[in-house]
Amino acid sequence: MQIKKPELLAPAGTLEKLRMAMLYGADAVYLGGKAFGLRAFGGNFSREDMQAGMAFAHAHGCRVYVTVNIFPHNADLMGLPDYLRFLQEIHVDGLLVADLGVFMLARETVPELPLHISTQANNTNWRTVCAWQQLGAQRVVLARELSLAEIKEIRAHTDVELEMFVHGAMCISYSGRCLLSHYFTGRDANRGSCAQSCRWRYALVEETRPGQYFPIAEDERGTYILNSKDLCLLPQLPDIIAAGVDSLKIEGRMKSVHYVASVTHAYRAAIDDYVKNPQSFAVRQEWREELAKVSHRPYTTGFALGPTTADDQIYGSSSYVQTADFVGLVRSYDAQTGRALVEQRNHMRVGQEIEVFQPTGPLFRQPIRVMLDEAGEPITVAPHAQQLLYMQMEQPVEPGTILRRDSAQAAGQAKQ
């Protein structure tokens, strides 16, 4: 039986991240405009950037879905019909909505545009999924609280497209609907302004002892009682595809270019490997290493294999880990001179060993032997963020190639 290859859906917080996601293997991206989405601080797209992103995506055979998943109050509805008409004019491939009123408004205003139901709509059972399909939804994004067994049961009752998160951060809330941020800071997570209160350090204060803080789970920096591990379901790909999921979604519109490229590349390779030869599929060590190189919290399977436990939380201060640092991005390559034009993203100096991570070409390592500034003068250190420089490469490289170094190497040099 031929296996249907699922869509790989990557986050695009900015135009640069959109381009990188597609270069590194995404079939589609999701993004937000300056309003009506749930990531007000994620970079987001002006109308001009959105048009440019659409042109780039469609030229590369990729799809773009736009988030309109705010939970609006009355005042938030102002300007929404005009915005929806703009999205239709630039030919976006789908709208991601959570609110029933926004859904119906979109059906009335831009009936040609496919509608996807956000995970924030709490899609936890097949009856709900069927109801959205009957209302005209093309796709439903499943709640993160579902197990693979439950997803398989939902698929048995409906033929609407199903999308699920397979990788990235998990907030402490119910399907992304959180009140902590608004309660503590006045910033409403359900209207796009999450303060990430679940990542803060917390302590207990007893009523008669103001100013005395009692750790809940102690280490030298405090405690993180609401800090979830990050989701990683790459090893579960065979079961996810067998459950009938149509789109595999990576979380991370606020994450770095390095994160988007690396995670997308690993899942692209794994999906292609499985579909090509499912009987012999095995998780490769190189994919695990790739996912370890980006900044992340320790990984968990979330709810996919059953209810979560205390092991899915982080109670200490060592939340983020990574094994590599992103130091440069190749803008172009001159085959005659063997030099790449590189945009610096972190400290680089002659003598460092770097790893060269390409969209489609081979991964290789080399020392930095020659760096030149834009005037062609030799330099030993690239001191300025996003400085352009020329670097001699030992092999040809593609535009969009990421240069990185081992985090341990960087830590050792920082102590020198």
Side-chain angles (χ1 to χ4, degrees), residues 322-375:
Q322 65 187 90
T323 62
D325 294 325
F326 174 31
V327 297
L329 181 65
V330 173
R331 292 300 184 190
S332 62
Y333 175 73
D334 186 336
Q336 290 187 326
T337 63
R339 290 176 183 170
L341 178 63
V342 174
E343 182 181 316
Q344 183 233 16
R345 294 299 179 94
N346 209 327
H347 178 80
M348 287 192 293
R349 65 183 308 122
V350 171
Q352 284 179 338
E353 184 176 70
I354 57 172
E355 184 176 66
V356 182
F357 174 48
Q358 304 189 71
T360 61
L363 184 77
F364 66 93
R365 303 179 74 90
Q366 70 163 66
I368 301 176
R369 301 188 189 278
V370 176
M371 288 197 303
L372 308 173
D373 64 19
E374 286 188 89

Side-chain angles (χ1 to χ4, degrees), residues 97-397:
V97 302
D99 179 75
L100 180 60
V102 173
F103 180 91
M104 298 309 294
L105 179 60
R107 291 275 301 184
E108 296 165 9
T109 309
V110 287
E112 300 86 0
L113 281 184
L115 296 179
H116 299 183
I117 307 305
S118 169
T119 188
Q120 273 83 14
N122 310 131
N123 306 304
T124 57
N125 64 80
W126 65 264
R127 283 283 187 182
T128 296
V129 174
C130 288
W132 281 117
Q133 183 179 18
Q134 290 167 11
L135 286 172
Q138 177 177 300
R139 177 181 296 185
V140 176
V141 186
L142 298 170
R144 301 187 200 206
E145 292 82 10
L146 293 176
S147 68
L148 287 173
E150 290 175 303
I151 292 171
K152 191 172 183 178
E153 185 177 359
I154 289 171
R155 168 49 72 219
H157 285 87
T158 179
D159 59 359
V160 72
E161 292 180 12
L162 300 179
E163 177 181 306
M164 69 175 287
F165 282 93
V166 295
H167 197 93
M170 298 178 66
C171 62
I172 301 298
S173 65
Y174 189 73
S175 291
R177 301 181 69 167
C178 177
L179 295 177
L180 283 177
S181 175
H182 190 268
Y183 182 82
F184 287 143
T185 70
R187 287 167 48 178
D188 191 344
N190 302 314
R191 298 167 78 187
S193 301
C194 181
Q196 298 204 14
S197 306
C198 58
R199 307 301 182 201
W200 297 356
R201 302 173 189 171
Y202 289 91
L204 288 174
V205 178
E206 200 273 327
E207 182 180 13
T208 63
R209 296 178 174 85
Q212 295 186 41
Y213 299 96
F214 301 94
I216 300 165
E218 185 178 5
D219 70 7
E220 68 276 11
R221 294 187 181 182
T223 185
Y224 300 75
I225 59 173
L226 299 173
N227 204 9
S228 171
K229 292 180 179 179
D230 282 357
L231 182 66
C232 176
L233 294 180
L234 187 144
Q236 281 72 43
L237 278 180
D239 293 330
I240 292 170
I241 295 173
V245 177
D246 298 280
S247 181
L248 310 185
K249 188 171 193 174
I250 299 167
E251 183 278 336
R253 277 190 285 153
M254 298 177 70
K255 299 290 182 67
S256 69
V257 167
H258 180 212
Y259 172 94
V260 171
S262 298
V263 176
T264 300
H265 192 270
Y267 276 83
R268 175 78 282 147
I271 292 169
D272 291 349
D273 230 37
Y274 176 75
V275 172
K276 182 178 179 180
N277 194 346
Q279 286 75 28
S280 62
F281 177 80
V283 178
R284 298 186 184 183
Q285 183 60 25
E286 64 201 64
W287 303 337
R288 296 184 188 275
E289 292 174 357
E290 194 60 51
L291 296 178
K293 288 172 183 176
V294 299
S295 178
H296 67 284
R297 300 176 187 89
Y299 288 129
T300 173
T301 56
F303 295 86
L305 304 182
T308 58
T309 69
D311 291 337
D312 298 295
Q313 300 293 112
I314 303 170
Y315 299 100
S317 60
S318 56
S319 294
Y320 288 96
V321 292
Q322 65 187 90
T323 62
D325 294 325
F326 174 31
V327 297
L329 181 65
V330 173
R331 292 300 184 190
S332 62
Y333 175 73
D334 186 336
Q336 290 187 326
T337 63
R339 290 176 183 170
L341 178 63
V342 174
E343 182 181 316
Q344 183 233 16
R345 294 299 179 94
N346 209 327
H347 178 80
M348 287 192 293
R349 65 183 308 122
V350 171
Q352 284 179 338
E353 184 176 70
I354 57 172
E355 184 176 66
V356 182
F357 174 48
Q358 304 189 71
T360 61
L363 184 77
F364 66 93
R365 303 179 74 90
Q366 70 163 66
I368 301 176
R369 301 188 189 278
V370 176
M371 288 197 303
L372 308 173
D373 64 19
E374 286 188 89
E377 297 296 321
I379 56 174
T380 58
V381 178
H384 306 301
Q386 295 191 296
Q387 174 182 353
L388 291 176
L389 55 92
Y390 293 96
M391 183 182 296
Q392 198 70 33
M393 305 303 298
E394 295 183 356
Q395 298 182 33
V397 294

